[in-house]
Amino acid sequence: MLLSITVNGKAQKIETDPGLPLLSLLRDHLQLTGTKYGCGEGQCGACTVLVEGRAVRSCVVPSSFAAGKRITTIEGLARGEQLHPVQQAFLEKDALQCGYCTPGMILSAAAMLNEQPKPSEAAIKRALQGNVCRCGTYPRIVAAVRLASERMSGGAR
Amino acid sequence: MTVAESRREFLQRLGGGLVVLVAVDDIEAQESGGTRRRGGRTAAPKDIGAWLHIGEDGLVEVFTGKAEVGQNTRTSLTQAVADELRVAVSAVHLTMADTDLVPYDIGTFGSLSTPQMAPQLRKAAASAREMLIRLAAEKWNLKPSAVQAADGAVSELNGSRRAGYGELTRGQKLVETIGDGARVTPPGEWKVAGKSIPKVGGRAFVTGQHKYASDLSVPGMLHGKVIRPASFGARLVSVDTGAADSIPGVKSVRDGDFIGIAAPDPRTAESAAAAVKSEWKADPQQGNQGLFAYLKQTAGPEQVVKSAGSVESSYAAAPVKLRESYQVAYIAHTPLEPRAALAQWSGDKLTVWTGTQRPFGVRSELAEAFKIPEEQVRVIVPDTGSGYGGKHTGEAAIEAARLSRASGKPVKLVWTRTEEFTWAYARPAALIEIASAAGGDGLITSWEFHNYNSGTPGIETLYTMANRRIVFHPSKSPLRQGSYRALGSTANHFARESHIDELAGAVKMDPLQFRLKNLADERMKAVLSSAAEKFGWGRKPAAGNGFGIAGGFEKNGYVATAAEVTREGNAIKVIRLVTAFDCGAVVNPRHLENQVEGAIVQGLGGALFEALTFENGRITNARLGAYRVPRFGDVPVLETVLLDRKDVPSAGAGESPLVALAPAIANAAFQATGIRLRSMPLRFVS
């Protein structure tokens, strides 16, 4: 199947098996290795990408799902040198240790903030419940997301 | 750079400037004296701990065998060097865990990077600093005491002359070997260490630019998959790779019981592996049911760790006696990045990129597997997606190298999550039996402690017990087992600190008071008191809730955890945790807090829900959907008190914060419900 998708703003046509997991398409065919494999079951969130702005677990979604849609991976979040507020907040709050969950975490958080610009701490934890951080950095991740939300909504709540 | 480059060639390649080598060999240390400049010497002493190069551009390149696996050692070691050399953090770059470029290192485990590697790097940096001062002093015809080093330059104290480090060494090739000589900055005078600077190189992680081993690729690379035995210890009876071989681009490899596939892309490798028909035969094996009885039955000769006084007579004579048994399940490390390796042969030389905590250990394993000298093997460890003690061995590296050699192409091999759960080693299960006694005055008089299978870390105790007998019994383990963050210490602390609480109850003393009464170690008492104070110990909990406290000592780190919990169905809900931690002088407060909290969060898994289930040689919950790990919703209110002891050398903190968590929770659950849980993971049964 010739798949037409837009990844990080770039329109692509890729010849692929429609059933190939979107994660494999991104990592193996487009060399976008920022999106990670963690479990292959959609249970850990490391493979999270944005499809039309919504968080999707790319390891359990076929490439055909992405046909005609706009995909954002971690590589596409920053604008040149300018980091997305969530990325910037993760750095400032030291919300990462080994960093492997970080791309998925950041995209899940960005997707949530698109829909809930001023989330409570409980809402943040609920929205990110599908993202595992085995290093246990959860408290700082919550702090980073709160900081990002404050900045994105134009100041402290 | 060729794989077999000699040290001399390597030193030449570094270019002009100053190289400082830290000898860990006593003889070398005496020989070098630490203060004489040894220009022109290019042969490296045999036992080098670390080395450091200051280039003609003033940039500092540090070489260490330690690996970065998320514990932020890259940052803390950078701070140590920047501090000692009086340069900006941005002027220091660490090359870590590349066996061709760095000195030999035993491995990143044992919480040793901070207490051992940091001092070595400080010595190297301090020697370099003193040497630069001497160079400037000579150049300006001054005494060394009349110049100072700051901000990457040496300057006159009473004058305006100033020279950058790069300028001072330009056009020269200086090599200095040092032992103990240079004056290292004490913690009270730290300017860069001791501060919470952000993660070095962090930007690459938040942008997805950093490449873990599983992200790497080289031209012409194939993707590998191993066909796994049907169960542990199974022997191959027959195999048919015909269907796999007929897939274009696929190469199958068969070598004894090793069956592997190399294919042009991961999906084809998967399909090809699935198309291989294999038959295996194994003997029946012990499963979960009856595991702890099995561990006791199969125990080998006992190893007496400590024996003092007479536990028999002191037990018999005491008014308060207690005899209980505790159990701890096998758990899986579950590093979020599964193990992976990219192997590439060049003639007889092998390079493998892999995430491991033991690059030199894996190099030996590879040399042994392929019967080639170690000098022909290069292991490179990119900053890795965690290890927790689970990535000490080179399984993926050997598998990738085998497939690479057979196919004639580079091969990348990444384990699936199911392979991680099944074929990696687990944290050992434990059966622990304790018999103790105390007087009516609350002093412990007798202590007999038996650990079956899980090991001796943390088996000794700081409590004052005149009569004690502490014994380890190795057992037959049905599962492959090995290191895990804090090793056997978690099980030993769980049993001991639960039992201490039970003993406190038997003598009708408050659990905190009972502990303080039976401890002489001031630092242990200090963390217990700190945690208790921050927690508000001594209050009454709300109805249905319970408070618990526990203390621990591991790898020179002292920890105390106070917990508030309640029962929810058959589970324990943890409401609040206060942790007090003392590991000596603190290098990076925020990263230390991350390690402490990270260890606590990870520990919640083992304490409350993690357990490998297995039957007849198969793990039966080898999926993330079936093996529950801590998530956002599981994190209670977490408070951390760091006791910064600038008068004590820095100890490591990667493991010790874990050990008091499970018993604190069990103790709190007892107060909340009157039910004493003696099995990890802690669950009520209806």
Side-chain angles (χ1 to χ4, degrees), chain B residues 129-150:
Chain B
R129 184 187 75 232
E130 287 180 359
M131 189 160 178
L132 291 160
I133 283 174
R134 281 198 309 276
L135 284 171
E138 273 171 34
K139 184 170 163 158
W140 299 329
N141 211 9
L142 295 170
K143 287 199 170 66
S145 54
V147 300
Q148 67 171 7

Side-chain angles (χ1 to χ4, degrees), chain A residues 17 27-28 33 36-38 41 43 81 87 94 97-100 125 128-129 132 134-135 138 140, chain B residues 199 203 206 211-212 214-215 267 332-333 388 417 590-591 593-595 598 610 624-625 630-631 633:
Chain A
D17 163 11
R27 286 182 58 83
D28 304 323
T33 57
K36 307 300 183 198
Y37 166 86
E41 303 167 50
Q43 289 277 332
E81 285 306 298
Q87 289 172 307
D94 261 312
Q97 296 193 69
C98 85
Y100 196 77
K125 287 165 103 169
L128 297 181
Q129 181 72 357
V132 170
R134 191 54 168 159
C135 294
Y138 297 122
R140 286 212 194 279
Chain B
K199 182 181 180 74
R203 194 186 168 100
V206 300
K211 292 208 183 292
Y212 297 87
S214 41
D215 297 325
R267 175 94 144 172
H333 302 74
Y388 317 121
R417 181 55 56 191
R590 192 160 49 195
H591 289 175
E593 205 176 75
N594 256 348
Q595 279 290 285
E610 288 183 46
L624 210 52
R631 292 172 183 269

Side-chain angles (χ1 to χ4, degrees), chain B residues 211-503:
Chain B
K211 292 208 183 292
Y212 297 87
S214 41
D215 297 325
L216 296 172
S217 68
V218 292
M221 182 176 85
L222 298 179
H223 296 262
K225 268 211 94 60
V226 174
I227 282 77
R228 302 285 173 192
S231 58
F232 302 134
R235 294 170 302 282
L236 187 61
V237 170
S238 72
V239 59
D240 177 4
T241 59
D245 290 327
S246 66
I247 301 173
V250 168
K251 168 124 182 85
S252 70
V253 177
R254 165 90 197 272
D255 180 6
D257 280 11
F258 175 82
I259 315 165
I261 292 285
D265 61 84
R267 175 94 144 172
T268 305
E270 246 177 77
S271 319
V276 171
K277 296 182 194 40
S278 60
E279 235 186 281
W280 303 81
K281 185 176 167 56
D283 300 322
Q285 292 170 61
Q286 176 65 38
N288 273 113
Q289 297 296 334
L291 170 67
F292 299 102
Y294 177 83
L295 291 179
K296 189 159 183 187
Q297 277 154 30
T298 60
E302 65 178 28
Q303 296 168 17
V304 178
V305 176
K306 185 86 185 194
S307 182
S310 164
V311 292
E312 287 85 7
S313 51
S314 55
Y315 184 86
V320 178
K321 303 185 224 284
L322 204 53
R323 198 182 276 278
E324 294 294 349
S325 147
Y326 305 83
Q327 298 172 352
V328 176
Y330 289 103
I331 65 175
H333 302 74
T334 324
L336 203 62
E337 183 194 9
R339 67 207 62 220
L342 168 55
Q344 182 170 40
W345 289 88
S346 182
D348 266 338
K349 298 181 172 81
L350 172 63
T351 301
V352 181
W353 289 263
T354 188
T356 177
Q357 293 168 244
R358 285 172 68 248
F360 288 89
V362 170
R363 186 179 74 163
S364 297
E365 284 182 54
L366 287 164
E368 170 67 36
F370 297 101
K371 307 277 182 270
I372 55 179
E374 286 187 7
E375 291 71 48
Q376 281 171 222
V377 180
R378 179 179 185 182
V379 175
I380 303 171
V381 181
D383 289 10
T384 294
S386 74
Y388 317 121
K391 289 180 176 170
H392 286 189
T393 44
E395 302 92 336
I398 294 175
E399 290 161 3
R402 287 179 100 158
L403 291 173
S404 180
R405 190 156 79 161
S407 64
K409 297 248 166 67
V411 171
K412 181 161 88 174
L413 189 141
V414 181
W415 280 27
T416 63
R417 181 55 56 191
T418 295
E419 284 177 310
E420 265 294 326
F421 278 122
T422 309
W423 298 101
Y425 53 85
R427 188 186 72 182
L431 169 69
I432 295 173
E433 295 177 339
I434 307 179
S436 66
D441 59 355
L443 288 174
I444 304 170
T445 56
S446 181
W447 182 262
E448 187 174 358
F449 187 105
H450 294 264
N451 174 308
Y452 291 83
N453 189 57
S454 84
T456 56
I459 204 174
E460 290 233 58
T461 172
L462 293 176
Y463 290 107
T464 311
M465 297 143 160
N467 302 284
R468 61 171 87 185
R469 195 172 138 76
I470 299 177
V471 185
F472 168 61
H473 307 261
S475 301
K476 274 197 165 58
S477 172
L479 293 189
R480 187 172 166 227
Q481 58 185 22
S483 285
Y484 182 105
R485 198 172 191 177
L487 297 104
S489 206
T490 303
N492 287 325
H493 277 84
F494 167 64
R496 178 169 54 249
E497 285 293 292
S498 297
H499 194 87
I500 286 286
D501 233 54
E502 297 189 68
L503 202 48

